[in-house]
Amino acid sequence: MESAAAREPRGAEASRPAAPPPSPSEPPAAPRARPRLVFRTQLAHGSPTGKIEGFSNVRELYAKIAEAFGIAPTEILFCTLNSHKVDMQKLLGGQIGLEDFIFAHVRGETKEVEVTKTEDALGLTITDNGAGYAFIKRIKEGSIINRIQAVCVGDSIEAINDHSIVGCRHYEVAKMLRELPKSQPFTLRLVQPKRAFDMIGQRSRGSKCPMEAKVTSGRETLRLRSGGGATVEEVPSEFEEEASRKVDDLLESYMGIRDPELAATMVETSKKTVSVQEFARHLDSVLGEFAFPDEFVVEVWAAIGEAKEVCG
């Protein structure tokens, strides 16, 4: 179909003054700048709302939050999204929805507990904040740690037998705890998050927390990377979410850690491979420091394959 302009009489077309040619000295039009990504944030125990921007990894994020509230970055233990509670379902990992509200949980009281390892497993699942602090993400019902009321989900593990573990990754801390001898008492120095009045007395298990209304409705997230800049990406697909969940479950059962970002990286790596042998080689090249055992890699490959079949 002809446009209205094409149907106009040629006389009308001729009567219009011709547009002047662009001056050769004029610079080309600048590309449209990407809108600034500004996030709202509060301290979880209570504070005014601050605004932060210009970060590309977790350490930079913590530095921006610290600057907004006039505290040291090392005061921040971890962050949750859209909830001020110590809710491990809403823990900030490697992705932030563009409309998410960030709550920073800062250092509260320090406590020491003595534990006697009467079984191989303590019943702890460890994660870390990506900036030097490992903390408790889950406590198994009926476990050794479950019987010690002073230990709570969200507590940061600062030292084992007075040996500081600040700066250690979650898998290193989990390995230290696994290797402690049985029947011999040891001491944990813990730092609990500073709590608001409505959180005092809370001792969550970390896996069955009531879900609050989610603030975000956008379909994009800011992906934070330990190496390289942050990128804006579409939210994970159904397959990526299911596969990452399965891999995270395997990380917990094999290594005593939970790390959704690590699980997502493994799923992403699997997309570039066609066999378990190639997958293992790629994992060694990008995640060699974990030294994953062969049987674990095989199970991860199978779990990702199952997720692919379920999600189509």
Side-chain angles (χ1 to χ4, degrees):
M1 181 181 294
E2 287 185 320
S3 68
R7 293 197 302 269
E8 283 182 351
R10 292 191 180 276
E13 185 178 310
S15 66
R16 290 197 197 102
S23 168
S25 60
E26 287 181 9
R32 281 179 59 186
R34 189 176 194 91
R36 287 163 53 198
L37 300 179
V38 180
F39 295 86
R40 293 169 298 155
T41 183
Q42 286 182 0
L43 300 181
H45 63 278
S47 75
T49 298
K51 292 184 177 181
I52 56 172
E53 61 179 307
F55 54 88
S56 60
N57 56 51
V58 171
R59 288 183 185 274
E60 291 179 6
L61 167 63
Y62 285 10
K64 293 290 184 180
I65 294 173
E67 182 181 354
F69 296 110
I71 61 176
T74 52
E75 287 292 300
I76 301 172
L77 298 179
F78 56 86
C79 294
T80 49
L81 298 176
N82 308 318
S83 174
H84 72 285
K85 297 179 181 179
V86 180
D87 185 345
M88 295 294 110
Q89 300 290 340
K90 299 188 177 179
L91 193 66
L92 184 150
Q95 292 187 329
I96 308 173
L98 298 190
E99 297 177 20
D100 281 345
F101 200 114
I102 304 170
F103 290 90
H105 298 253
V106 302
R107 292 174 63 93
E109 295 180 7
T110 300
K111 54 194 175 184
E112 287 200 358
V113 296
E114 186 175 276
V115 184
T116 300
K117 191 175 181 182
T118 55
E119 305 167 24
D120 289 331
L122 293 170
L124 283 178
T125 298
I126 310 296
T127 190
D128 65 41
N129 68 356
Y133 288 139
F135 58 94
I136 299 169
K137 186 169 185 179
R138 185 177 293 178
I139 299 173
K140 186 178 179 181
E141 294 285 351
S143 64
I144 297 169
I145 293 297
N146 185 44
R147 297 191 285 270
I148 304 173
Q149 287 297 311
V151 182
C152 300
V153 167
D155 285 352
S156 172
I157 304 174
E158 192 169 68
I160 301 172
N161 286 334
D162 290 325
H163 172 70
S164 173
I165 60 163
V166 174
C168 294
R169 292 299 313 275
H170 46 24
Y171 65 92
E172 295 173 312
V173 177
K175 184 171 183 287
M176 292 177 203
L177 293 172
R178 279 199 308 272
E179 292 176 350
L180 289 169
K182 286 174 67 173
S183 305
Q184 186 174 322
F186 66 93
T187 302
L188 288 176
R189 185 162 73 242
L190 307 169
V191 180
Q192 69 182 36
K194 192 170 185 178
R195 299 176 188 271
F197 286 116
D198 67 338
M199 296 158 66
I200 293 173
Q202 174 181 320
R203 189 179 193 246
S204 169
R205 296 286 151 227
S207 59
K208 295 184 179 178
C209 303
M211 298 298 285
E212 297 178 359
K214 191 161 175 60
V215 173
T216 182
S217 60
R219 296 295 300 167
E220 289 184 317
T221 64
L222 183 69
R223 177 83 179 268
L224 305 178
R225 301 178 188 276
S226 54
T231 54
V232 175
E233 301 178 355
E234 290 293 313
V235 295
S237 66
E238 182 186 358
F239 155 68
E240 289 167 332
E241 286 191 341
E242 176 65 13
S244 295
R245 184 189 64 76
K246 286 178 174 289
V247 174
D248 207 19
D249 288 345
L250 287 171
L251 285 169
E252 181 173 24
S253 63
Y254 267 84
M255 303 176 67
I257 65 173
R258 288 195 81 86
D259 188 333
E261 179 60 16
L262 174 60
T265 299
M266 297 176 80
V267 172
E268 195 174 307
T269 302
S270 74
K271 295 178 186 176
K272 307 167 187 173
T273 60
V274 295
S275 69
V276 66
Q277 293 83 5
E278 188 182 3
F279 178 54
R281 288 195 298 272
H282 275 67
L283 283 184
D284 282 343
S285 66
V286 296
L287 299 168
E289 71 271 19
F290 287 91
F292 295 123
D294 291 343
E295 64 271 19
F296 172 73
V297 174
V298 170
E299 286 212 37
V300 167
W301 179 259
I304 293 172
E306 287 173 11
K308 196 174 293 184
E309 287 180 11
V310 169
C311 300

